Amino acid sequence: MATVPATIPIYPAKAGHTGFEYFSTKKDELVGWARKFSLFPYPFVTACCAMEFMAVSSTPYDTDRFGAALPRFSPRQSDLLMVVGTVTHKQAPILLKVYEQMCEPKWVMAFGACATSGGFYQNYAAVAGIDRIIPVDIYVPGCPPRPETVIDAIMKLQERIANDHHPILTGDF
């Protein structure tokens, strides 16, 4: 009579559990997936695009399903800087200071025509695009941009975050 070796099953043999017992992935993919769905935006709102920013955060468009629901009002607690509206030369040092106070990794979204290119202002006061002050990861066109455009930009940024290399990971992990 053959004896069956004693094993300790994770689930009882006749439990009918259809789940999997093991999970295998790359650490960069796991960290990228976690960061992709945990964006904490800091709204740097200066002009009329603020209404569209509020519309994106409201119920019909609901950025919560993208993991970007709770805006943080401290740059030290956020990782996505959303520059919404016109930035003047007087505000440029403030924007740079806010960017420098954010923790790594950090991403920047230029929201609207004024933040991306200076908009229709052809004067000495408006900065012709915030990329002259800080690096920008994604641009949202429009004056003002539609909420669908903003959601599309968030999804593209999430895709980029998920596919990035995450250098905080070491050989030990």
Side-chain angles (χ1 to χ4, degrees):
M1 180 182 233
T3 60
V4 178
T7 60
I8 303 173
I10 295 176
Y11 302 108
K14 296 180 182 179
H17 192 272
T18 59
F20 56 88
E21 297 177 11
Y22 300 100
F23 183 69
S24 176
T25 186
K26 295 178 184 174
K27 56 187 173 181
D28 269 352
E29 290 177 2
L30 179 65
V31 172
W33 177 83
R35 284 184 177 163
K36 167 184 174 176
F37 291 114
S38 63
L39 293 173
F40 294 105
Y42 176 84
F44 190 85
V45 181
T46 60
C48 52
C49 284
M51 302 309 146
E52 293 301 319
F53 173 75
M54 288 185 260
V56 169
S57 301
S58 67
T59 306
Y61 299 102
D62 193 23
T63 55
D64 189 21
R65 60 190 160 147
F66 300 104
L70 297 172
R72 303 295 186 200
F73 295 105
S74 169
R76 291 177 182 90
Q77 297 174 347
S78 61
D79 55 7
L80 172 61
L81 177 60
M82 297 178 78
V83 182
V84 181
T86 309
V87 176
T88 63
H89 287 285
K90 194 171 184 178
Q91 294 169 327
I94 300 165
L95 178 62
L96 181 60
K97 184 173 240 176
V98 166
Y99 177 77
E100 289 171 348
Q101 289 178 352
M102 292 173 65
C103 322
E104 291 289 338
K106 53 188 166 186
W107 300 279
V108 177
M109 177 186 290
F111 191 110
C114 293
T116 59
S117 65
F120 53 83
Y121 299 108
Q122 298 294 322
N123 62 18
Y124 65 92
V127 175
I130 63 165
D131 55 353
R132 296 175 184 233
I133 306 165
I134 56 176
V136 176
D137 294 300
I138 192 149
Y139 296 91
V140 183
C143 183
R146 296 274 311 145
E148 294 86 2
T149 310
V150 178
I151 288 174
D152 185 51
I154 290 173
M155 290 170 51
K156 287 182 180 177
L157 182 62
Q158 284 180 325
E159 183 180 322
R160 181 177 170 186
I161 291 169
N163 294 330
D164 272 353
H165 175 69
H166 305 283
I168 65 164
L169 300 175
T170 62
D172 297 333
F173 173 66

